[in-house]
Amino acid sequence: MSRVVVVGAGFGGLSVAARLAAQGHRVDVFEQGPEVGGKLGWFSRDGFSFDTGPSLLTLPAVQRDLFLKTGDPVESVLDVVQLDPVAHYRFADGTELDLPGGGLPQVARALDDALGAGTGAQWTAFQRRAAQIWDVAREPFLESALEGPRTLLRLARDTRGLRTVAPWSSLRGVGRRYLQDPRLRTLLDRYATYSGSDPGRAPAALATVPFVEQAFGAWYVRGGLHLLAQAVADRARERGARITTEAPVVRVLEEGGRAAGVRLADGTRVRADVVVSAVDAARLYGDLLPRPRSRPPRRLRSSSGFVLLLALDGRTPGLRHHTVLFPDDYDAEFADLAAGRPVADPTVYVSAPDDPALRPSESTEAWFVLVNAPVHDPDRGTDWRSGDLVARHTDVVLDALARRGLDVRSRLRWAEVRTPADLEERTGSDGGAIYGTASNGARSAFLRPANRSPVPGLFLVGGSSHPGGGLPLVGLSARIVTDLVGPA
C-alpha cells in the first residue's frame, strides 16, 4: 500500500482521491479552505442559493466511470437530469434560438426553424467534421498522458489524422469552411469561451466542444452541481481516504530527487510516496516546490469571469435553464479580453435553474449571471480591486441585460458580486483564470502542464493541467493520473 497525499479538494483532487483509494492506496487530502469543491462552489443567503461554478455536466460517461470504478453508480447518490433545451440564445439581430438537448438531428431542425432553412445543414456538416476530430483526438489528447515529442511524432505519422485535426487551423477558421450564416459563426465562437480562449486563436480541435454537448447531451444535478463535489468527497471517504479542510499546504517536500510528502502551514510534515497536486499549476511550480520552476507564461492564462448572483422577486415568463445574450460586436469582446481590459459590451450568460432548492418561494428566482473578464493583474492589466470598478462593471452588466430584454432592476432584492480577484483568493487560481492555461495556438495542448511533473512521484490533476478545464476534462485528468500512479 502506497501513501498518497492530494493537495487540494476541488473536483480533480476529490476524483483522484476516490479512484486511488478504491485501488488500495492510503490517501490523505488537504484543502486550504473550509469546505471541499474548489470551483464547484455554492452560495446561500436568505433562502436564495447559487452554484458559483459549473452549471451543467457534459460527457456524462466520465462521471459514470468515476462512480462505477469506486462503488455504486452516480444515479444512486445524485438526481441527474438531462436538459432540454440546453440553452436559449438571443443574437444581435434579435433572432432567438432554443438549442435542444435531444441530439444532433433535433439541433438541425431547431436551427432551420429559428435561423432559416439551410442553417441546420450547415451546422450538421460542421458537426460531421467535429465528430471526425473527436474520433482522432479523443484517445491521444484527452484520455492519455501527453508524452511531449513522442505524442507529436505519433500524430505526425498519421497523416490522415493530422489532416482531420488540422492543428494549423483555428476554431473560427474551420468553422468558416462550413458555416455561412453569421449567427452560426457567433454560436461556434461561444464554445471557445468554454475553455477561456479566443476563437480566432483556439485550435480547430475545440470543435469537439459543441459536438460533445450536442451528441451526448447536457445534464444538471437537482439541488445544484455542488452536490457532485459532495458526492465524490463522500465516495472518497467511503473508500478510506481522509479529507482535512482548513489545512493549507505550503511546501511539497523532496528527498533524493523525488516527492516525499508535504508540509502544512502549521508546520506539520506529512510523509508520502506520491504527491498529487490539484492546485493551480502556476502556484505549484512557483510557490510549493523547494526549487521553484517557472510559472506558465502570463500571456497563456485563460480568461476569467465577472459574476453577479441576483436574488429576484417574481418569475420570468419562458425563462430557460441557460440564457446567452450576444452583443452587437462579438469581436470587440475578444479584443477587450486580449488587451486585458473589462469588456465594454459583453455577452451575458444567465444560469437560472427551475429548481425549488435554489429559491425561497415559487414567486422568486435565483440568477447566476456571468460575463467574460480579464484576469486580475494589477501590474499588467486590470486591477479588480481598484476604485469603483466593480460598481461600474455591475452597471455595465445590468444595462446589457436590460438592453437585451431582461431588465431586472425593479425586481432585485440584492446582488452578490464575484470578481476575478475574488476567484483567485478563494481558489488559488492564477489571477482567477478559470481554466488555467488558454487553448490558444496550435501548440496549446503541449504548453499545458503535464500530469507527470519533472519531479518523480509528483503528479498534477485539475483544470490547469492536461487535458484542460471544465468538469469532463478535469475528470479525465483524474483518470489519467490514477493510471500513472497505478494500483497499490
Side-chain angles (χ1 to χ4, degrees), residues 183-209:
R183 294 163 297 184
L184 291 181
R185 294 177 178 179
T186 295
L187 180 64
L188 178 60
D189 282 356
R190 173 71 184 169
Y191 285 97
T193 68
Y194 282 29
S195 63
S197 305
D198 182 328
R201 300 174 62 203
L206 285 192
T208 57
V209 178

Side-chain angles (χ1 to χ4, degrees), residues 76-101:
S76 69
V77 292
L78 294 172
D79 185 6
V80 183
V81 295
Q82 188 167 11
L83 296 179
D84 192 10
V86 175
H88 178 81
Y89 293 91
R90 183 185 183 277
F91 296 91
D93 65 356
T95 306
E96 300 191 35
L97 164 70
D98 275 336
L99 200 66

